[in-house]
Amino acid sequence: MALIKDVAERAGVSIGTVSRVLNYDETINVSDNTRQRIFEAAQELEYTPTLHKKKKKQKIGLIYSYSLEEELEDIYYLSARVAIENKIQDEKEGVVHLSLSQNLEKLKGIDGIIALGTFHKNEVEMIRQSNKPVVFADCSPDEDHFDSVVINLENGAHKVMNYLYDLGHRKIAFLGGNLPGEDSIDFREREYELFMRNHNCFFDDFVMAGGYTPKDGYHMMTELLQKKLGVTAVFAINDSVAVGCYKAIYENSLKIPEDISVVGFNDISTAQFMLPPLTTIKTHVDLMGETAVTLIREKINMHRTVSKKIVIPTALVVRESCRDITSENTD
């Protein structure tokens, strides 16, 4: 049976260094190359510590850019937060809820931070000043300095537009929200506009902006219908907006998809139970949350200096809320 001194000799380091590295001592200052050499030596020699020391229980801080009221109205972030918390707790580690309005005293016991949502530049700077390992989930404000995991919103939006266009729709409206900060860009809206301009179908009045909740969707769709633009399809920025959109359409004595086709985004659990079931984009938000936890643990334990950006793909889920009008299209 290999001893710790055998691992030390194979790796060319001291016994103390081997012991501290194999027990994930975060205070030891060794290069990534030395750390890897020690783990490889231990594996090659099939070294098993005679006394297994438990790793220090880590505390992960969780900051989100939205209110709990907003979370309840749009369960996209609720799903992401729950996935993050479950992953942390499954690994027997602690989660601490943080706020950017707090002083930094609470950060003293935090090993790393997951920032969920979309943040202003000044908020990103405040997070940077914490001097803690950070992973951003659902945004990537500075991929040269922070790890991040995001949903491929542009590709998802392109799938929506291709789908509606192939069904013969040309008068396609977009019901969107307002992201915080003038520097924020909604990739779904940008992809929508690019697609419509490339196909000579873009019209300013087709674009509505109001928010991300069912109430916002209801008001935007009501206003759109009052314009009487002959819209045949609507791309809602998320499924919550699509819920409100449905209500406005029915209140105006119209039917889905006979009069107007509707596509959402996120594939929340209730989307399949809407009448008719909503065609939408699956965003795998649970995977985004779990990946954020994996990244922050890696950042803390391995002291990695090069940032990672992970992009989660999307999938179009076709249900019954869209109609093929190619035979009616005279374009």
Side-chain angles (χ1 to χ4, degrees):
M1 179 181 294
L3 302 175
I4 192 170
K5 69 179 184 65
D6 300 319
V7 178
E9 290 175 0
R10 175 71 66 93
V13 296
S14 70
I15 292 175
T17 299
V18 171
S19 176
R20 293 175 67 184
V21 168
L22 293 184
N23 284 289
Y24 297 92
D25 184 343
E26 298 173 17
T27 64
I28 187 172
N29 183 21
V30 297
S31 68
D32 290 342
N33 182 57
T34 300
R35 193 182 302 273
Q36 181 178 355
R37 199 164 68 247
I38 292 170
F39 279 111
E40 288 177 350
Q43 184 177 22
E44 290 168 2
L45 294 171
E46 298 182 351
Y47 169 71
T48 303
T50 55
L51 181 62
H52 180 70
K53 294 183 181 179
K54 291 184 178 180
K55 291 187 294 180
K56 171 191 170 186
K57 183 178 179 180
Q58 295 170 345
K59 286 186 179 180
I60 309 300
L62 178 58
I63 298 175
Y64 26 90
S65 63
Y66 51 87
S67 68
L68 292 180
E69 290 77 12
E70 291 171 321
E71 182 183 77
L72 292 175
E73 290 181 320
D74 180 5
I75 65 171
Y76 173 83
Y77 282 126
L78 173 63
S79 300
R81 178 176 64 80
V82 170
I84 290 170
E85 292 175 342
N86 286 344
K87 179 73 171 175
I88 293 173
Q89 291 165 0
D90 285 347
E91 296 176 359
K92 310 300 182 186
E93 294 174 347
V95 59
V96 178
H97 293 271
L98 304 174
S99 169
L100 290 173
S101 62
Q102 296 171 333
N103 60 44
L104 297 183
E105 289 298 313
K106 197 171 182 179
L107 296 179
K108 288 184 177 179
I110 300 298
D111 296 290
I113 296 172
I114 295 176
L116 174 62
T118 305
F119 297 85
H120 295 277
K121 281 184 176 179
N122 64 311
E123 292 173 328
V124 173
E125 187 58 32
M126 288 175 63
I127 294 170
R128 187 195 310 271
Q129 290 175 3
S130 71
N131 293 319
K132 302 288 184 179
V134 177
V135 172
F136 281 90
D138 204 47
C139 72
S140 182
D142 186 349
E143 61 187 55
D144 290 331
H145 295 94
F146 297 115
D147 281 14
S148 60
V149 52
V150 297
I151 302 294
N152 194 335
L153 299 179
E154 295 152 299
N155 184 254
H158 192 75
K159 290 173 182 175
V160 171
M161 298 306 297
N162 267 331
Y163 176 68
L164 290 173
Y165 195 86
D166 288 345
L167 290 178
H169 297 280
R170 301 297 181 264
K171 293 185 176 182
I172 305 169
F174 181 85
L175 305 188
N178 293 316
L179 289 171
E182 296 178 0
D183 57 315
S184 298
I185 300 173
D186 190 288
F187 297 109
R188 288 161 291 192
E189 181 176 348
R190 186 171 72 177
E191 183 59 36
Y192 160 84
E193 181 173 340
L194 179 63
F195 186 97
M196 293 291 278
R197 289 190 185 280
N198 287 342
H199 292 82
N200 299 313
C201 298
F202 183 76
F203 187 36
D204 282 330
D205 281 352
F206 284 171
V207 180
M208 309 296 295
Y212 299 89
T213 70
K215 183 178 179 180
D216 296 322
Y218 173 78
H219 289 311
M220 285 188 284
M221 191 68 215
T222 298
E223 183 179 345
L224 179 67
L225 291 173
Q226 289 172 350
K227 294 181 179 182
K228 299 186 183 300
L229 301 173
V231 168
T232 64
V234 170
F235 174 14
I237 197 168
N238 64 26
D239 294 345
S240 297
V241 167
V243 169
C245 177
Y246 268 45
K247 184 176 188 292
I249 290 172
Y250 291 139
E251 283 189 358
N252 282 269
S253 301
L254 299 172
K255 294 182 179 180
I256 303 169
E258 291 84 353
D259 299 306
I260 298 180
S261 295
V262 180
V263 180
F265 212 96
N266 294 340
D267 195 27
I268 62 177
S269 59
T270 56
Q272 60 184 312
F273 301 112
M274 295 169 65
L275 292 176
L278 179 66
T279 292
T280 185
I281 291 290
K282 180 73 174 177
T283 54
H284 307 289
V285 66
D286 291 352
L287 180 60
M288 179 182 72
E290 292 168 2
T291 303
V293 177
T294 300
L295 282 176
I296 195 63
R297 293 187 72 248
E298 179 184 304
K299 191 84 171 177
I300 294 168
N301 293 331
M302 303 304 293
H303 307 283
R304 175 169 43 80
T305 57
V306 178
S307 298
K308 283 185 180 181
K309 179 179 180 179
I310 296 179
V311 181
I312 307 294
T314 62
L316 177 67
V317 181
V318 176
R319 295 193 178 104
E320 301 168 29
S321 61
C322 296
R323 185 168 74 93
D324 190 330
I325 62 169
T326 51
S327 61
E328 305 169 20
N329 188 11
T330 58
D331 186 306

